[in-house]
């Protein structure tokens, strides 16, 4: 019993080390944790039916500080059938996440999220509240980290926006002022600071400037109209009052503020991933016209839909958002779109995985699992063979989207993490039936 307790303490230390900004220390910790699990010193759940394909990591913003390796490890412990990361504007964590998945036997996929301009909906609010014409947009199933001019443009534009926000908010929150290099950059391993990093940094800086809690609360009340004692609520208030529409740090985007959706979708496809429509909750004018919006997205290559289920229902309470969720999933099924589902964990209190056994989500869970297998299979087949979901091979091999989805779902179920060597004898002349048989 003493030895088991000692092992647990050691494993907890190693789990904390998984969030170290040093890649080598993260890799060392994961290797030791896996060895301990193989010795029976940690309990890993059997693979089940739950998925999370939208977890942010500390390369953009994870409220719990999770690295790609940490999320992979926790997903493996929880028995997720498929796990996926999605970072904002960067692919910095992709290769690490795949390496972790191969080591610990986790089915993986990876994506990227950003904001784009949709000229056809220029006057309509879509899924970025208060910003007509601007939409969150995604790519899923990246086979590896990509080096592409579009990524460099996104990183540069994001850094410029972030520095501009700091300049404007500093003037308003003076004497609580941030220096990007000193106060913000150290919060993320590769300098990709987001608005959420700024909120965390302003909270920390206020504690330095006003060590007295009462004086600090008075400052926040004066500047923000309130001073929540809970960190998550305070950071949310900072963001809402200073960085979102109506705040001093906010600048309304115009057509040149973000790349057009078609340009981002071209990049995603060129990188071997699947351009993906992001959906919020169906409440905006733009999202009430989803069929039209999806037509526009398809014209530039979109072939999947992303949803965040946990945002769209309150357990036990029927509401319009849940109805909207079912309607958009039905739309995706009519179009043959895989539906990517997951929780972001980019704010404190968000779940690690959705409650797929709940009455509200249980009817949708099989669709989410099937879609996760599709993206997982695409990822591996595109990376190893160039035979992904949107590849010339796929276009030539399937007579319909339905038969293509059936194949990739079956391939995703059959794939085993780390089993890529089995694919070495396959090439573009292989039929889907032959390829699937080689996996089973």
């Amino acid at each position: 019993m003493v030895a088991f307790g000692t092992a647990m303490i050691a494993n907890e230390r190693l789990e904390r080390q998984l969030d170290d900004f040093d890649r080598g220390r993260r890799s060392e910790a994961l290797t030791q944790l896996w060895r301990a699990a193989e010795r029976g010193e940690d309990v890993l759940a059997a693979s089940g039916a739950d998925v999370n394909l939208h977890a942010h990591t500390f390369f953009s913003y994870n409220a719990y500080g999770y690295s790609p390796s940490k999320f992979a490890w926790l997903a493996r412990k929880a028995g997720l059938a498929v796990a996926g990361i999605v970072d904002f504007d960067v692919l910095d964590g992709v290769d690490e996440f795949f390496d972790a998945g191969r080591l610990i036997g986790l089915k993986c996929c990876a994506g990227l999220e950003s904001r784009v301009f949709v000229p056809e909906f220029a006057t309509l609010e879509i899924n970025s509240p208060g910003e007509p014409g601007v939409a969150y947009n995604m790519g899923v199933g990246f086979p590896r980290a990509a080096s592409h001019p579009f990524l460099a443009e996104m990183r540069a534009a994001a850094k410029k926006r972030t520095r501009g926000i700091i300049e404007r908010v500093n003037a308003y929150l003076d004497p609580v002022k941030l220096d990007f290099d000193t106060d913000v950059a150290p919060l993320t391993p590769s300098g990709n600071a987001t608005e959420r990093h700024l909120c965390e940094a302003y909270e920390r800086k206020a504690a330095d400037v006003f060590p007295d809690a009462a004086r600090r609360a008075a400052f926040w009340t004066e500047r923000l109209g309130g001073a929540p004692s809970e960190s998550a609520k305070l950071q949310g208030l900072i963001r809402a009052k200073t960085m979102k529409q109506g705040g001093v740090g906010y600048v309304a985007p115009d057509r040149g503020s973000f790349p057009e959706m078609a340009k981002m979708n071209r990049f995603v496809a060129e990188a071997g991933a699947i351009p993906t429509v992001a959906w919020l909750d169906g409440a905006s004018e733009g999202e009430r016209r989803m069929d039209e919006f999806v037509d526009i997205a398809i014209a530039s290559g979109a072939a999947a839909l992303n949803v965040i289920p946990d945002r769209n229902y309150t357990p036990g309470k029927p509401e319009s958002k849940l109805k909207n969720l079912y309607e958009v999933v039905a739309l995706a099924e009519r179009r043959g779109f895989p539906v990517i589902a997951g929780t972001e964990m980019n704010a404190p209190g968000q779940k690690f995985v959705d409650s797929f056994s709940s009455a509200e989500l249980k009817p949708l869970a099989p669709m989410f699992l099937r879609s996760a297998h599709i993206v997982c299979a695409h990822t591996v087949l595109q990376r190893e063979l160039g035979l992904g979901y949107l590849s010339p091979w796929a276009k030539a091999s399937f007579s319909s989207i339905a038969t293509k989805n059936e194949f990739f779902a079956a391939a995703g179920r059959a794939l085993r993490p780390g089993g890529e060597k089995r694919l070495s004898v396959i090439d573009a002349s292989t039929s889907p039936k032959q390829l699937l048989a080689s996996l089973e």
Side-chain angles (χ1 to χ4, degrees):
M1 183 65 71
V2 173
F4 185 75
T6 301
M8 287 184 62
I9 293 171
N11 288 349
E12 289 172 359
R13 176 185 60 79
L14 289 168
E15 287 191 352
R16 291 192 296 272
Q17 188 175 321
L18 287 175
D19 294 327
D20 195 288
F21 278 6
D22 183 278
R23 171 74 184 272
R25 284 180 53 77
R26 298 197 297 275
S27 179
E28 175 190 8
L30 187 63
T31 299
Q32 291 188 43
L33 283 165
W34 180 241
R35 288 173 180 167
E38 290 181 313
R39 293 192 301 267
E41 295 172 2
D42 206 339
V43 179
L44 305 183
S47 180
D50 289 349
V51 300
N52 182 356
L53 304 191
H54 198 132
H56 290 262
T57 79
F58 66 12
F59 281 109
S60 52
Y61 187 81
N62 182 287
Y64 309 103
Y66 292 167
S67 71
S69 294
K70 179 67 161 288
F71 176 64
W73 174 248
L74 295 180
R76 180 66 179 82
K77 285 185 71 174
L80 265 60
V82 185
I85 61 170
V86 172
D87 278 317
F88 209 86
D89 288 341
V90 297
L91 295 169
D92 295 4
V94 172
D95 291 340
E96 176 184 343
F97 189 59
F98 290 161
D99 287 346
R102 278 188 286 267
L103 174 67
I104 64 179
L106 176 71
K107 293 184 180 183
C108 293
C109 59
L112 176 142
E113 182 176 17
S114 192
R115 283 191 291 178
V116 298
F117 183 72
V118 186
E120 298 87 347
F121 272 44
T123 63
L124 303 178
E125 183 177 308
I126 309 167
N127 59 21
S128 185
E131 298 185 320
V134 177
Y136 286 86
N137 196 54
M138 292 175 57
V140 301
F142 282 88
R144 59 185 61 84
S147 177
H148 194 283
F150 185 82
L151 280 175
E153 291 174 18
M154 286 200 301
R155 190 186 288 267
K159 184 171 287 189
K160 181 179 179 181
R161 286 196 301 270
T162 300
R163 289 182 181 273
I165 291 172
I166 290 174
E167 182 178 350
R168 293 186 292 273
V169 175
N170 276 354
Y172 180 71
L173 293 183
D174 188 11
V176 176
K177 301 168 68 174
L178 299 181
D179 175 81
F180 180 88
D181 295 319
T182 303
D183 302 313
V184 181
L187 299 180
T188 176
S190 60
N192 182 48
T194 67
E195 289 179 2
R196 297 180 189 275
H197 287 107
L198 300 189
C199 296
E200 181 179 336
Y202 276 116
E203 181 186 18
R204 291 185 179 190
K205 180 62 71 171
D208 291 339
V209 175
F210 301 110
D212 179 73
R215 178 68 186 90
R216 188 163 65 250
F219 167 80
W220 286 127
T221 299
E222 176 191 347
R223 302 302 169 92
L224 305 179
S229 57
E230 187 179 333
S231 180
K233 292 182 179 179
L234 175 58
Q235 290 183 27
L237 189 60
I238 294 170
R239 191 170 184 232
K241 294 291 187 178
T242 68
M243 301 175 198
K244 290 304 183 184
Q245 188 178 37
V248 294
Y250 179 80
V251 173
D254 57 27
R255 186 171 187 139
S257 298
F258 301 101
E260 292 194 6
M261 178 169 65
K263 184 175 182 180
M264 179 176 173
N265 284 351
R266 283 196 299 273
F267 149 69
V268 170
E270 288 171 4
I274 304 171
T276 300
V277 174
W279 184 81
L280 181 61
D281 57 18
S284 71
E285 185 176 357
E287 289 201 330
R288 287 196 294 271
R289 295 165 59 174
M290 276 303 290
D291 266 306
E292 182 182 348
F293 186 82
V294 168
D295 283 339
I296 294 166
I298 288 174
S300 62
L305 175 78
N306 181 87
V307 299
I308 309 293
D310 196 52
R311 288 177 172 169
N312 288 284
Y313 75 101
T314 302
K317 295 183 179 180
E319 54 186 340
S320 61
K321 285 186 178 181
L322 182 62
K323 177 176 177 288
N324 294 344
L325 175 62
Y326 272 76
E327 288 179 352
V328 81
V329 170
L331 182 158
E333 289 186 303
R334 291 195 302 272
R335 301 303 188 97
F337 275 21
V339 181
I340 314 307
T343 61
E344 297 172 294
M345 290 188 287
N346 64 353
Q350 291 185 2
K351 296 176 180 177
F352 181 80
V353 63
D354 284 291
S355 301
F356 292 113
S357 61
S358 65
E360 292 82 4
L361 297 187
K362 191 173 183 178
L364 302 178
M367 172 65 162
F368 296 150
L369 177 59
R370 181 171 183 264
S371 298
H373 282 136
I374 290 172
V375 178
C376 176
H378 156 81
T379 301
V380 175
L381 296 180
Q382 181 65 34
R383 182 177 65 236
E384 302 300 324
L385 304 168
L387 306 184
Y389 190 79
L390 300 180
S391 67
W393 174 84
K395 291 177 183 177
S397 297
F398 302 103
S399 59
S400 67
I401 297 176
T403 56
K404 179 170 69 171
N405 285 342
E406 183 179 351
F407 164 80
F408 276 92
R413 290 191 295 270
L415 281 166
R416 295 294 175 264
E420 290 87 349
K421 289 182 180 179
R422 299 165 63 189
L423 303 174
S424 60
V425 298
I426 297 169
D427 58 34
S429 66
T430 304
S431 72
K433 185 177 181 179
Q434 291 170 325
L435 199 163
L436 190 57
S438 74
L439 298 174
E440 294 176 335

